[in-house]
Amino acid sequence: MAAIEPAVAQGRRVVVCVSGGIAAYKAAEVVRALVRCGADVRVAMTPAATRFVGPDTFAALSGHRVLIDLFDASGEVAHVELARGAELAVVVPATADLLARMAYGHAGDAVAATLLTVTCPVLVAPAMHTEMWEHPATRANVDTLERRGVTFVGPERGELSSGDVGIGRMAEPDDIVTAALTLLARGQDLAGRRVVVTAGGTQEPIDPVRFIGNRSSGLMGYTIARAAARRGAKVTLVSGPTNLPPPPGVELVRVRTAEEMHDAVVAVAPDADVIVKAAAVADFRPQKSSPVKLKKAAGPPEVRLEPTVDILAELGAHPELRKPGGLLIGFAAETEADPEALARVAEDKRASKGADVVVANDVGSSDSGFNVPTNRAVIATARGTRDVGLVTKAALAEALIDEIAGLLAEA
Ligand code: PMT
């Protein structure tokens, strides 16, 4: 745990949730290390976990009673008490069964109920046999949880309890503690900051039912907005049409066209410490939009296009539209997977659009860009370029916010 100061855990409430796998014994080391860092650790166990390690072990290490029974006789709603004060929840180990229950929002035992109640960051250390980890059901559950902002540490490839060698071995306690400290350090590093994020694609009407649009699902922007809010920012999300639910605690401004997005962003720009333009804004729109549905029988219409306003370039060229010292962040959508080429584009676009940061992402591969949960990206700042590689959009959002928090702190 060299990189992060253990002191970040001092006095912080961490809930450790233990589920029933052979790796449960390693949870004791995690609890002990977090307590040594000064964290106020509380433990919840599934009934199955108690078959691997006795609750007295965790009670002795944490100095607190362990929550196992949802229907505790004390009269308190114990899992709510436990969840409300938590600044971090660490699930160690997370079995395939618990991941499935988390993904579906089950609350049938103290661990699942606590995890459904917490609003703090959640760190998960899965441990299971390779076949279970690779099963499409587990893959889907992990995707769902990552999309909700859950952070995963491991699993690793190595010897499993069955004696087989493969992926599924729980991360080492030191690595879990390092990941926990990293999340605690991130904490509220955007507290007091106002962040504007744009997301989704715009729709430029041809007539009342047809439009020029694109394949943006909005996921990248929504994930950034959610992560910024979780790290303490007051977030305004200016969104084109999407099927996504609004992230909790975020002010949502719905728009449809590039012009509406322009007006919404310009209205909030003077107060924004950070503007992140993850939306796929139409570059062109029909010169005229028919007020009535165009008839098929009239033959193919001639649709003449005109450019839309480039919102990012306008904000870059006119700093007076923005808060002094505020950061302007653009995305660059490129059909390019090579990190060096992405880095060149990111740097060029940063200069040409007057942005402080540009995230160049690959939109030409099936696992990256539009309408998929992962993204391959390079982040360019004045300090240089950083190849993030192929990661979940949640991980890219956190990496981007790490850069933003660093730049704000320097300023
Ligand atoms: O929504 P998802 O399905 O998750 O997909 C995410 C994404 C691929 C859409 C996202 O990661 C992304 O790349 N967004 C930017 C898409 C884009 O419009 O790229 P661009 O290279 O054409 O534009 C560069 C920048 O200028 C972008 O920040 C864009 O928001 C901005 N722009 C573009 C045109 C315009 N008229 N006004 C703008 O502000």
Side-chain angles (χ1 to χ4, degrees), residues 151-227:
T151 302
F152 280 75
V153 52
E156 293 170 356
R157 189 169 294 281
E159 193 173 338
L160 305 172
S161 60
S162 56
D164 300 335
V165 173
I167 183 119
R169 185 186 164 87
M170 194 173 81
E172 289 305 319
D174 265 2
D175 294 332
I176 297 170
V177 173
T178 301
L181 295 179
T182 305
L183 289 177
L184 285 171
R186 275 178 182 162
Q188 298 283 293
D189 53 3
L190 294 188
R193 304 291 190 174
R194 283 176 174 263
V195 175
V196 174
V197 182
T198 70
T202 60
Q203 297 181 352
E204 310 302 327
I206 295 169
D207 70 13
V209 297
R210 303 179 179 94
F211 59 82
I212 295 175
N214 61 68
R215 291 175 42 233
S216 171
S217 64
L219 181 63
M220 190 69 248
Y222 275 59
T223 309
I224 295 167
R226 175 188 288 268

Side-chain angles (χ1 to χ4, degrees), residues 8 10-15 83-89 120-121 183-184:
V8 298
Q10 190 66 45
R12 314 280 295 275
R13 170 78 65 87
V14 179
V15 174
R84 283 218 177 116
E87 293 179 68
L88 176 69
C120 61
L183 289 177
L184 285 171

Side-chain angles (χ1 to χ4, degrees), residues 128-173:
M128 63 197 74
H129 294 294
T130 305
E131 292 83 347
M132 295 169 90
W133 176 249
E134 290 180 343
H135 193 284
T138 306
R139 309 295 341 121
N141 293 332
V142 170
D143 276 356
T144 301
L145 294 170
E146 282 189 321
R147 248 180 280 140
R148 285 186 205 142
V150 169
T151 302
F152 280 75
V153 52
E156 293 170 356
R157 189 169 294 281
E159 193 173 338
L160 305 172
S161 60
S162 56
D164 300 335
V165 173
I167 183 119
R169 185 186 164 87
M170 194 173 81
E172 289 305 319

Side-chain angles (χ1 to χ4, degrees), residues 8-374:
V8 298
Q10 190 66 45
R12 314 280 295 275
R13 170 78 65 87
V14 179
V15 174
V16 174
C17 294
V18 188
S19 68
I22 184 72
Y25 75 94
K26 291 189 186 173
E29 282 183 57
V30 172
V31 169
R32 192 175 58 162
L34 288 170
V35 169
R36 280 195 176 153
C37 293
D40 172 13
V41 180
R42 309 296 168 106
V43 179
M45 299 176 79
T46 63
T50 62
R51 300 178 66 159
F52 294 90
V53 189
D56 290 351
T57 303
F58 291 110
L61 289 170
S62 68
H64 295 283
R65 201 165 57 88
V66 172
L67 182 66
I68 303 163
D69 186 359
L70 254 187
F71 305 99
D72 194 295
S74 69
E76 295 169 350
V77 187
H79 68 276
V80 175
E81 289 291 310
L82 199 65
R84 283 218 177 116
E87 293 179 68
L88 176 69
V90 183
V91 188
V92 51
T95 57
D97 175 68
L98 182 60
L99 291 180
R101 292 191 291 129
M102 287 171 73
Y104 282 89
H106 288 203
D109 62 32
V111 162
T114 301
L115 291 169
L116 196 60
T117 312
V118 290
T119 53
C120 61
V122 177
L123 174 68
V124 167
M128 63 197 74
H129 294 294
T130 305
E131 292 83 347
M132 295 169 90
W133 176 249
E134 290 180 343
H135 193 284
T138 306
R139 309 295 341 121
N141 293 332
V142 170
D143 276 356
T144 301
L145 294 170
E146 282 189 321
R147 248 180 280 140
R148 285 186 205 142
V150 169
T151 302
F152 280 75
V153 52
E156 293 170 356
R157 189 169 294 281
E159 193 173 338
L160 305 172
S161 60
S162 56
D164 300 335
V165 173
I167 183 119
R169 185 186 164 87
M170 194 173 81
E172 289 305 319
D174 265 2
D175 294 332
I176 297 170
V177 173
T178 301
L181 295 179
T182 305
L183 289 177
L184 285 171
R186 275 178 182 162
Q188 298 283 293
D189 53 3
L190 294 188
R193 304 291 190 174
R194 283 176 174 263
V195 175
V196 174
V197 182
T198 70
T202 60
Q203 297 181 352
E204 310 302 327
I206 295 169
D207 70 13
V209 297
R210 303 179 179 94
F211 59 82
I212 295 175
N214 61 68
R215 291 175 42 233
S216 171
S217 64
L219 181 63
M220 190 69 248
Y222 275 59
T223 309
I224 295 167
R226 175 188 288 268
R230 183 172 278 165
R231 287 167 73 163
K234 191 169 182 320
V235 180
T236 301
L237 176 60
V238 180
S239 171
T242 76
N243 293 321
L244 299 172
V250 163
E251 183 198 10
L252 182 65
V253 179
R254 293 184 199 275
V255 297
R256 185 174 175 215
T257 63
E259 191 174 8
E260 288 171 13
M261 184 167 280
H262 169 270
D263 293 351
V265 172
V266 167
V268 287
D271 290 329
D273 295 290
V274 182
I275 300 173
V276 184
K277 296 235 50 271
V281 188
D283 290 318
F284 303 101
R285 66 179 180 191
Q287 251 176 12
K288 284 189 199 134
S289 160
S290 166
V292 292
K293 185 183 170 206
L294 297 172
K295 298 284 185 212
K296 186 176 169 187
E302 190 174 301
V303 180
R304 290 189 72 81
L305 301 178
E306 64 182 10
T308 56
V309 180
D310 188 323
I311 310 164
L312 179 65
E314 182 180 287
L315 292 172
H318 295 282
E320 70 279 8
L321 294 175
R322 298 189 279 129
K323 183 170 177 175
L327 295 176
L328 182 61
I329 293 152
F331 269 68
E334 300 297 320
T335 45
E336 182 62 74
D338 172 39
E340 284 182 15
L342 280 176
R344 276 195 298 277
V345 173
E347 202 31 68
D348 288 352
K349 215 157 225 174
R350 206 174 76 79
S352 69
K353 296 232 186 186
D356 299 290
V357 180
V358 165
V359 182
N361 54 178
D362 166 25
V363 297
S365 310
S366 60
D367 56 2
S368 179
F370 289 87
N371 205 14
V372 287
T374 46

